[in-house]
Structure formats: C-alpha cells, structure tokens
Amino acid sequence: MAQGRQTDVAPAIELRGISKAFGPVQANKDISIRVMPGTIHGIIGENGAGKSTLMSILYGFYKADAGEIFIAGKKTSIPDSQAAIRAGIGMVFQHFKLVENFTVLENVVLGAEEGRLLKPSLAKARGILKTLAAEYELNVDPDAKIEDLGVGMQQRVEILKALYRQADILILDEPTGVLTPAEADHLFRILENLRAEGKTIILITHKLREIMAATDTVSVMRRGEMTATIQTSQTDPEHLAEMMVGRKVLLRVDKKPAQPGKTVLEVENLRVVDEDGVERLKGVSLNVRAGEILGIAGVSGNGQSQLLEVLGGITHGTGTVRINGQEIDLTGRHSDGQSRRARGICHVPEDRQREGLIMEFTAWENMVFGYHHDPAYQKNALFMDNAGIRDLAADKMARFDVRPPNPVLAAKNFSGGNQQKLVLAREIERNPDLLLVGQPTRGVDIGAIEFIHQQILDLRDAGKAVLLVSVELEEILSMSDRIAVMFDGRIMGERLPGETDEKELGLMMAGMDTKAA
Amino acid sequence: MDVMPKWADVVLIPVISLVLAALLSTLVIVAIGEDPVAAVKLMVTGALGSTYAWGYTLYYATNFIFTGLAVAVAFHARMFNIGGEGQATLGGLGVALICLALPWPHWALALPAAVVGAALFGAAWAAIPAWLQAKRGSHIVITTIMFNFIAASVLNYLLVNVMRPTGSMDPATAKFPPGAHLPTLHDLLAPFGIAFSRAAPANISFLIAVVACVLVWLLIWRTRLGYEIRAQGHSEPAAVYAGIRPVRIIMAAMLVSGALAGMMAINNVMGEAERLVLNSVEGAGFIGIAVALMGRNHPFGVFLAAILFGFLYQGGAELALWTNIPRELIVVIQALVILFTGALDNMVRMPLEKLFLALRKDRA
C-alpha cells in the first residue's frame, strides 16, 4: 500500500544500478530509471533488449545480480511476486494468467481470498468490482466465464485483478498485441482514467505509435542498457527508432507499383474444422496473382493461422484450392508439407521457433528443413550430403545477412531477427511460385524488419505471388497490394491500401461491414 | 552460446557423477562393516583382472550395448522405450526358432539368419505399442512396460507347453545344433596368437554390437530418416510443418529400437546359453535405459556406458561370490550410478556451469 503517497516528490519506482546476467548473456546492465507517480511511463526497445527481464526483476520473478529498488522513495526488496503485490505493484502479462473455466469474480479473488470461506470474499469482491468498473470504465460481467470472453475483456480482468490487490503501480507488457485498434483505444482510455486517479503506469511495448500516443515519459532500452529517458512530447518516432536500433532506420517501405500477372492461387469456399470440432475457416474465397502481395489483416485467432496451415499442408480442409490452375489435394495422402513444396508453395510459418525451425538443429540443418528429400542434398542413396549442405547454407546465410554467418551454430543461438532470416533464406531461395508468409516481423528487431520487407518485395517484383498474414496493421498497409480482412473465419471484404485506412480496417477486423453501414 | 565447453559436458560431468556415486557406495560398504578398498580391488580384478574377467565384462556389455542403443534410438524421437526387456525376450524366441529350424552346417550361415530373426521378432514386439502410440495416442511408456509382462508370459507358455522337448522337466528349448554355436572371443583371437579365456562367454556378438553402434550413428546423423527422427523428437509441430509424418517416424524409430533390443538375443541366447530358457534377459532391458541415459543417447557414449555397467555387473558378481557383501548391494551401487548420472545430473551441472562462467569472466 502506498504509505509513501505523502512524499509527493519521490518517484513511484526508482531502480538504481540493476544488473542481471543469464549465463554469458548480460540481460540488464547497470540500469537506473525513475518513474514518477501519476504518469504513464513507456519502456521501448527491440526484442531481447531486456525490457521483460527488468520488469520480471521488479515483479520478483528474477533476482537482480546487483542494484537496488526503491518504491515511493523507500528501499524495498522484492524476492517474490507476493512481495511485489504488497509493494503495490500489479502486472498485466502479455499472456494472460487466468483460469479459463472460472468466472471473472473467481479469477479476481484467486490468491487473494480472505478467511476460510470463499463466499464472503466473493461478495466483497463483487462490491469492489462494481466500484472499479464505474470509476475506470472497466465494465466486465463478474459472473461470465473467462473462456467465454474475448481477449480485450480478458485483459480487463487482468487489470481488475491488479487493482483489486490495491496496486498503485501497474505494469503492462505488450498489452495491445492481441487487441483490435478499437480495443487498444479503449485500453488507453482506461489507462488515462487510472492515471487521473493517481496511479502510475509502466507500458512496455515495441510499437512506436503507442508510445507517442499514450505516454508522458519514455525510456529506451538497447542491448540490456537504458540508453535514454525523455519526455514523450520532446521526441518523435524516427528519433526513438534510431535510439532503439543505434542507427537511422527507414520506417516506411519503398516499393514500386505492382505488376500483377496471371492468377497463381485460387481459393474457393475453403473450410477448416479443428481438432475440437470448431469450424475455424467458414468458407474463404480469395485469389493471389503473380507479382502481387495479398495482405490478410485481422486480430489473431480469426482463422488466419488456419488459412496458412491448410495452404501449407499442415492441416486438412475442404473446398477448392488451385495453384497455377491445378487443383491440390486438401485431405488425402498428398496433403502435407512435402507435396505443397513440390507444387511450388513455400511457407514462412507464423511461429518460427515452434514450426519454422528446429531450435536445437544447427543453421545448416535448418537450411534444408522441409527440403531434405531434395536429390540435390543427398550424397548417395543412403546418406545426406552434410558437407555440401553446410557450404550451401553458408552461402545463403551470407546473402541474407544472417549474423553471425556461422552455419554450425544452433538455431536457438541466433536472435529473433536472424532466426527469421534463416527461415526466409530457406524459403525464398527455393524461388517459389507462391510464398505464404505469417507474421514476418513478429519479435524481429527494427533493423532487420527493413531487410525482411525488402526480400519479400523483391520476390514480388520477380513476378511471384505472396500471401502475407500479419496482425500488424501498419505492416499490412505498407506491404500489401490488396488487403483482405478476416473476421471469425470469414473474409469481411477486400480493400486497396490507398483507398482505406486503419480505422476502416479496424472496424472490419471487429466484424463490422463498413460497406453496409 | 553454450555455457560450458563440450568436453566438460560429455566427459567431466559423467566422471564427476561417477566419482560421487563411488564415494557414496564406499560409505555404504563401510556402513555394513566391510573394507571398501578390498572390495574395489576385488571388483577390479574380478571384472578386468584376467581375460576370463574381461570375457564376462564384455559379455554383459554386449547385452547393454544393444538395449542401450534401443533406448537411445527411440529417445531421439522423444519416445521412452521401456520395453527393451520384452523385445529382447521375443528376440530370443526368434533366435531359438531360427536355430532349431535347421541343422545349421556352420555358424557363419546361422548367425545372419539369427540376427534377422532376432531383429524381426524384437521389432514386431515394439510395433504394437508403436502403432497404439501413433494411431491411438496410448502412451508408449505404459504400453511398452505392459508388453514386458505379456512377453514374459508368452515365453513362459511357449517354453512349458510348446517348445519343451518331450520328457524334459526344464522349461527351456532343446540345445541348439552345434552348427549354430557362435565362436567365442577365445576362438576368434586364437588365430592371432592371443590366448583369451576359453571359459568366458564373450563371443562374436560383441563385434556385432560394435558394428551396431556405428550403424546407429550413421542412421541418426547421416541419413534422411535419422534427420527426420531427430526433427520429430525436437518439435513435432515443426516436423509436421516440414511435411514429416509423425506416424511414420514413430513407427520407424520404434521398429529400429525394437530390432536392436531383440538383437541382444544373439549374445545371451545363441552365444551363451545355446538354448532358450526362462527369463534369459535378466533385466538387461532395464539397464539399457541407464546406459542410454549415461551415454547421452550417443552410440559412442552408449558403448562406454555399457562397458562400465558390464564392469559393475561382473565386478558385483565377484563381490557377492567372495565377500559377505550381498548381491543386492551391487544393485544399490548401480542405482547410485544411475541416480547420479541421470536424475542428479543438474546437481553437478549447475555448479560446473557457474564455475566455467566465472572462469570466462576472469578471462574477459
């Protein structure tokens, strides 16, 4: 609790000289930061810059190797999350920590029950929730089950949980990753209300736009170090990007006009039912032409993943899919990744660590992953040509600027951006007719984003078809030649990037037909 | 970046674990009032002190190489094949059927046929749990362990009711024909002027085990199947993305695994007993798990670990024979070795990693 309120000038949180190493990796190096009470303080940095480590130290998940934590001017040690909660710190994680089949009320009370009986706690919580809802626009039905709520609502439950524990300091880790633009706007309104009530908010994000829109102060992290803390009003996105990466970056994509050719991919009435019997694709029709990028926008979980998976041969589906005019098998023996590759479809999957790469394999082993049956990679009938693959991988890694360019290093030892370059090098160098790309720049540092976008554009300009799925609207708007919006397993409509904006796409992503309105 | 150099991971950690296991074993021996120094001496001379001793150590090691490789291959596909015992039992049945089917003129003809028979029967016994895992999701640990019991019962039934020669009171098959007797190391080394003990059971199967190590290494790290097995083992979603069919990999890895476990029978059934008896596997299937664990699922590691366990087995038998140390204590020592090299791996690893980290920091 905030007994430190009376000392108004003291920072809500002050970290002094925090350092933390994981093995040889120095995740945080001598970090000092002051977060003033009643402000929204943004922390921005590339993946692996050490933002999450720092917050985990603050929340008692990790113990710092060195350094001190002051809460409201008082030196505090935070050995575990219980201590963090006692110190008035609440955390909203990127991946929610809610019990799916509990109600909102039960989740809020969980871990903060008082006494032996549950009923009084629940009754008390119900009253508090009502007050909180009125105060901060945090309306959630207390008796709804979590599994029946959308992600935006679930996030509100996380915030309520923190407030119920009387948090004065709220840390949000990449809170908008799963939200529609409208939901994100609502979240920022809630944060402003919280600030108005004197709460302190730390917003961790890699989205420059959110920092500019929502924060009072911003701290930039790079490679484990705090490089700058400045007033948001005194900076701009270009400057922030430069501080994050350490050099000037191009935030816009330079591209030539598309020259679409013949239709490469035709999809008609494609349906996918998942293992639980839920229909995830409800009759999708679309086509992609040579030399064009079709961008699929949508909040994650609306069927984009299933679309990529069924086209990439990972899951089965029904309907008609033609590639270069020839129908492909969607269910039978010839529906797997191997046969898709044989038909000229290459696939950069959404989750490179889970699907695109074998993290324990070396870079060269990964460089033929999925193509390991190619006769070019065999020494003879029995054995693979490991030495040859190694040399070939070294070439491709050099061409795609993978750092370090060492083919015998395991994939897990590369950074997110370089792992993605490994996957792209493998898939693009196969010169596919159709490239399926999911979340090409998720978790990729800004410096590498430019390069990855350029590689995809080069493939398009070479007359290949590209199907791009991304939850980053900016990426969809800047990369696509046409945009299709998916909602609830259906295509809500198609737009041209020059004739639409984030607002319209955002409405479509939320399931509203803008043409009808 | 890996924290430790590779040699520390592969050599230093197992050695330290062994030393710790040995120290604790010493304490146990002292506690029951025996002299640990004398015990170690006895074990070493009993297991390594003569060609007779070596003959037993290598004989046991041969069993453990086969069952250890079996566990290792399955584990590369992240399957825990605990059914080596049953697969080796069935391998014995295969060997016996082949050896008794014909009046074999020479072992050089009988051996390849017996290898095939052992491998086929072992693989077939692994195939059923593999199929249940691949198609029905029945956990391989549960099914393979249950199949050990079924194998024992099947063999019991066959030996008592079907394969027992008329008039014999012994639940065992008839002796194999002389043409199916394998040359021992004594026979093999004699032409080179090396006098190896005539009485020791180590035989040509040891060489086959060594060849099996090389073949498994080639399979796992040089072939497409091995590549796919390892890929599937590390990440099934990634394997599916790459177009690898999990059902096929589960079946392939388990068939190879079962075949290797089955091939143990050419050593103990054909090479040593020269007939099929009840419980011929004597727990070697389970020791294979420890061997694979200690050998880090690498064929060379399996080879070394198998020799070590051969030493413990033979040395332990000697201890029980010549001292008051009960045979059960050997099981305790083996258990300590497994405990330290397997379950308590991190106990040694963590401080070592810290040490190497500190060393690196000093250098930097």
Side-chain angles (χ1 to χ4, degrees):
Chain A
M1 286 276 290
Q3 62 267 66
R5 243 325 142 65
Q6 64 268 29
T7 54
D8 262 324
V9 281
I13 296 178
E14 180 172 9
L15 304 178
R16 283 190 204 157
I18 297 280
S19 290
K20 174 78 187 169
F22 295 104
V25 182
Q26 190 79 34
N28 284 163
K29 259 179 274 183
D30 190 25
I31 288 190
S32 298
I33 182 176
R34 294 156 68 97
V35 178
M36 300 312 288
T39 63
I40 301 183
H41 192 118
I43 296 185
I44 194 163
E46 297 189 299
N47 263 59
K51 302 172 300 221
S52 295
T53 306
L54 189 64
M55 290 308 121
S56 298
I57 290 170
L58 191 50
Y59 202 62
F61 280 172
Y62 296 141
K63 196 178 163 302
D65 298 337
E68 296 172 318
I69 300 172
F70 295 84
I71 306 289
K74 218 173 79 204
K75 190 173 171 199
T76 313
S77 96
I78 303 182
D80 53 37
S81 56
Q82 288 296 323
I85 291 166
R86 276 197 303 277
I89 301 174
M91 182 109 171
V92 176
F93 292 93
Q94 198 173 353
H95 303 284
F96 305 143
K97 303 198 183 305
L98 298 169
V99 182
E100 292 267 308
N101 54 356
F102 273 23
T103 65
V104 171
L105 201 56
E106 286 166 334
N107 266 289
V108 167
V109 171
L110 187 66
E113 311 91 342
E114 290 158 25
R116 287 181 181 280
L117 294 173
L118 198 54
K119 270 242 169 94
S121 292
L122 287 176
K124 187 180 150 217
R126 190 181 293 275
I128 294 177
L129 281 194
K130 211 175 244 172
T131 334
L132 288 175
E135 224 172 324
Y136 303 113
E137 272 189 74
L138 273 165
N139 295 307
V140 191
D141 173 10
D143 297 313
K145 280 201 177 163
I146 297 297
E147 57 199 1
D148 301 329
L149 296 179
V151 277
M153 283 292 177
Q154 292 189 16
Q155 191 172 53
R156 283 185 210 175
V157 178
E158 284 283 7
I159 296 175
L160 283 170
K161 259 170 71 180
L163 294 177
Y164 181 73
R165 285 157 181 73
Q166 293 167 310
D168 274 318
I169 301 157
L170 205 58
I171 306 172
L172 295 106
D173 190 2
E174 301 280 1
T176 59
V178 288
L179 303 182
T180 63
E183 284 174 323
D185 284 346
H186 190 116
L187 172 70
F188 290 130
R189 272 209 307 285
I190 294 172
L191 295 186
E192 268 161 37
N193 289 338
L194 288 166
R195 174 177 59 183
E197 292 292 315
K199 307 272 182 198
T200 307
I201 291 150
I202 299 182
L203 178 69
I204 302 169
T205 180
H206 67 278
K207 292 183 187 166
L208 297 165
R209 204 170 46 99
E210 287 171 7
I211 290 287
M212 296 312 297
T215 66
D216 302 307
T217 317
V218 53
S219 295
V220 184
M221 287 189 75
R222 183 168 84 225
R223 287 192 202 132
E225 287 178 90
M226 194 66 84
T227 50
T229 297
I230 40 175
Q231 300 296 312
T232 310
S233 53
Q234 284 160 13
T235 185
D236 55 59
E238 278 77 18
H239 183 218
L240 281 177
E242 197 181 325
M243 285 195 290
M244 274 166 74
V245 185
R247 62 180 170 85
K248 281 219 179 295
V249 245
L250 214 60
L251 287 179
R252 283 172 304 278
V253 179
D254 264 337
K255 63 173 185 184
K256 288 177 256 177
Q259 290 172 330
K262 63 179 176 57
T263 302
V264 173
L265 173 73
E266 289 167 273
V267 176
E268 278 166 34
N269 196 25
L270 184 59
R271 288 168 191 276
V272 169
V273 177
D274 71 7
E275 286 161 350
D276 303 325
V278 179
E279 194 171 42
R280 303 306 295 267
L281 281 192
K282 302 173 177 173
V284 165
S285 300
L286 53 82
N287 63 70
V288 191
R289 297 202 282 169
E292 109 179 315
I293 298 176
L294 175 68
I296 307 277
V299 178
S300 65
N302 278 290
Q304 307 98 306
S305 306
Q306 283 74 22
L307 178 64
L308 282 182
E309 280 173 6
V310 71
L311 292 176
I314 295 172
T315 50
H316 289 173
T318 56
T320 313
V321 174
R322 275 186 292 272
I323 184 97
N324 291 325
Q326 280 184 304
E327 196 169 333
I328 58 177
D329 188 1
L330 293 177
T331 48
R333 269 195 63 73
H334 298 290
S335 175
D336 65 6
Q338 294 292 333
S339 49
R340 294 293 199 278
R341 286 174 178 85
R343 302 293 286 272
I345 304 176
C346 287
H347 181 185
V348 177
E350 290 186 298
D351 191 338
R352 60 180 164 271
Q353 303 199 338
R354 195 167 161 269
E355 293 181 337
L357 295 167
I358 301 280
M359 300 305 281
E360 288 81 4
F361 273 15
T362 59
W364 67 264
E365 283 174 308
N366 273 302
M367 202 53 94
V368 294
F369 191 51
Y371 305 98
H372 51 278
H373 287 290
D374 188 328
Y377 301 144
Q378 317 303 326
K379 191 149 84 184
N380 50 42
L382 283 178
F383 301 130
M384 293 172 77
D385 182 12
N386 288 358
I389 298 171
R390 231 179 338 255
D391 293 344
L392 190 114
D395 284 352
K396 289 187 183 181
M397 287 168 78
R399 272 201 293 283
F400 273 74
D401 191 32
V402 180
R403 283 178 242 178
N406 178 1
V408 299
L409 214 56
K412 63 179 174 198
N413 293 328
F414 290 90
S415 72
N418 284 301
Q419 288 173 358
Q420 188 71 320
K421 285 188 202 167
L422 281 174
V423 179
L424 277 165
R426 180 181 71 211
E427 301 301 327
I428 288 182
E429 292 268 311
R430 297 296 302 191
N431 198 21
D433 290 339
L434 170 68
L435 182 70
L436 308 170
V437 200
Q439 320 297 349
T441 56
R442 179 188 277 170
V444 166
D445 18 287
I446 293 195
I449 289 177
E450 258 181 281
F451 183 86
I452 288 169
H453 282 166
Q454 196 54 52
Q455 294 301 322
I456 296 172
L457 285 173
D458 286 351
L459 191 74
R460 173 196 84 152
D461 292 339
K464 308 297 183 179
V466 177
L467 182 72
L468 168 72
V469 168
S470 175
V471 292
E472 302 280 350
L473 257 188
E474 275 178 75
E475 180 166 56
I476 291 286
L477 275 164
S478 63
M479 292 286 291
S480 311
D481 300 312
R482 273 186 303 134
I483 299 171
V485 181
M486 276 191 84
F487 173 74
D488 194 26
R490 290 189 183 87
I491 302 275
M492 290 300 292
E494 279 190 20
R495 297 286 183 275
L496 294 174
E499 296 166 11
T500 184
D501 54 22
E502 293 202 4
K503 200 167 167 214
E504 187 190 20
L505 293 178
L507 286 173
M508 290 166 77
M509 282 159 68
M512 274 167 271
D513 192 342
T514 52
K515 285 265 168 74
Chain B
M1 273 267 275
D2 295 325
V3 180
M4 282 193 296
K6 201 159 185 187
W7 63 268
D9 184 38
V10 197
V11 181
L12 205 54
I13 292 182
V15 167
I16 294 176
S17 301
L18 276 180
V19 170
L20 288 175
L23 284 178
L24 211 58
S25 307
T26 310
L27 287 180
V28 177
I29 294 175
V30 172
I32 61 171
E34 292 284 333
D35 178 3
V37 179
V40 170
K41 262 192 194 151
L42 193 59
M43 273 185 87
V44 172
T45 43
L48 309 172
S50 61
T51 59
Y52 173 82
W54 270 103
Y56 267 96
T57 299
L58 291 182
Y59 164 73
Y60 290 125
T62 306
N63 287 342
F64 303 153
I65 290 174
F66 281 120
T67 54
L69 287 177
V71 175
V73 167
F75 195 76
H76 277 288
R78 282 303 175 279
M79 277 181 299
F80 214 13
N81 177 13
I82 315 226
E85 198 76 8
Q87 290 142 22
T89 302
L90 263 284
L93 180 62
V95 167
L97 291 175
I98 297 260
C99 288
L100 293 168
L102 294 173
W104 293 95
H106 193 268
W107 65 265
L109 293 172
L111 180 58
V115 167
V116 171
L120 277 181
F121 272 68
W125 202 245
I128 307 166
W131 184 254
L132 290 171
Q133 168 80 65
K135 287 290 184 185
R136 312 285 312 168
S138 318
H139 203 287
I140 201 96
V141 169
I142 309 292
T143 45
T144 49
I145 207 161
M146 292 199 298
F147 266 65
N148 287 340
F149 293 104
I150 303 175
S153 304
V154 166
L155 198 71
N156 200 338
Y157 171 82
L158 288 177
L159 286 181
V160 172
N161 299 301
V162 183
M163 297 178 82
R164 180 170 50 92
T166 9
S168 165
M169 297 289 282
D170 193 10
T173 66
K175 281 287 246 180
F176 296 163
H181 291 183
L182 293 179
T184 61
L185 288 191
H186 167 83
D187 304 328
L188 291 170
L189 292 172
F192 303 98
I194 302 167
F196 201 88
S197 164
R198 187 186 293 271
N203 58 75
I204 193 167
S205 308
F206 176 69
L207 301 182
I208 297 176
V210 173
V211 172
C213 285
V214 177
L215 291 179
V216 165
W217 182 80
L218 287 172
L219 169 75
I220 297 292
W221 279 284
R222 286 291 178 273
T223 67
R224 290 192 294 284
L225 178 61
Y227 181 92
E228 294 192 336
I229 286 176
R230 284 184 295 131
Q232 153 99 8
H234 286 304
S235 167
E236 185 165 318
V240 172
Y241 154 77
I244 296 167
R245 290 169 184 260
V247 171
R248 189 176 156 263
I249 297 303
I250 290 173
M251 290 308 293
M254 281 303 287
L255 287 178
V256 172
S257 175
L260 283 164
M263 278 163 68
M264 183 195 119
I266 57 167
N267 187 46
N268 67 334
V269 176
M270 193 177 182
E272 200 260 342
E274 296 176 345
R275 59 184 188 143
L276 183 60
V277 299
L278 273 182
N279 190 27
S280 59
V281 183
E282 292 183 306
F286 292 115
I287 291 186
I289 300 168
V291 166
L293 206 64
M294 194 171 171
R296 314 244 142 171
N297 300 304
H298 191 287
F300 186 63
V302 165
F303 175 81
L304 291 181
I307 302 275
L308 173 75
F309 273 85
F311 160 79
L312 286 175
Y313 223 71
Q314 169 58 12
E318 290 286 307
L319 268 190
L321 196 59
W322 302 111
T323 68
N324 290 327
I325 298 174
R327 179 135 182 76
E328 285 70 30
L329 188 74
I330 303 313
V331 182
V332 172
I333 294 176
Q334 286 167 357
L336 284 171
V337 170
I338 296 172
L339 189 68
F340 276 95
T341 56
L344 296 181
D345 185 68
N346 272 339
M347 192 179 76
V348 177
R349 182 178 299 272
M350 302 280 261
L352 259 189
E353 282 184 350
K354 281 212 174 108
L355 181 73
F356 273 99
L357 210 60
L359 284 177
R360 187 175 302 169
K361 266 189 190 150
D362 285 350
R363 245 179 298 151

